[in-house]
Amino acid sequence: MTDQQKSYIKHLVQSPEWRFIEDFAKQLTDKIKEDSTIRDSEWETIKFTLQREGKIEGIKNLLQEMFIIGTQ
């Protein structure tokens, strides 16, 4: 990552818009959680559940990494 990209993330994290991004991420993860994990078979249920949790963790990790870069 270039210094310019890091600078942009730092600016974003410190701006009022960051709160919007956090709120949007929360709404998105809540929406993902609302979807029932019950599927046609046990394996499909497990697969969907793991994919759902992976999406949620991915969103959380993205915000966390951006926050870490933005506060360095």
Side-chain angles (χ1 to χ4, degrees):
M1 179 172 285
T2 67
D3 287 341
Q4 184 179 12
Q5 290 168 325
K6 289 178 184 178
S7 177
Y8 180 77
I9 290 173
K10 185 173 187 170
H11 173 72
L12 180 61
V13 168
Q14 294 174 351
S15 74
E17 288 84 4
W18 181 250
R19 183 69 184 149
F20 166 77
I21 293 169
E22 288 181 317
D23 289 345
F24 180 73
K26 172 85 170 89
Q27 290 174 9
L28 183 57
T29 56
D30 288 347
K31 183 179 176 184
I32 292 169
K33 288 177 186 178
E34 287 175 4
D35 197 5
S36 173
T37 58
I38 304 301
R39 295 294 181 252
D40 293 335
S41 70
E42 292 174 12
W43 294 114
E44 287 298 315
T45 298
I46 291 169
K47 177 183 167 185
F48 184 82
T49 301
L50 293 174
Q51 288 174 333
R52 183 180 82 165
E53 292 304 313
K55 288 177 186 178
I56 292 168
E57 287 303 310
I59 292 167
K60 289 179 181 180
N61 287 341
L62 174 65
L63 291 181
Q64 183 179 24
E65 288 299 316
M66 289 178 71
F67 185 78
I68 288 169
I69 290 169
T71 56
Q72 291 180 344

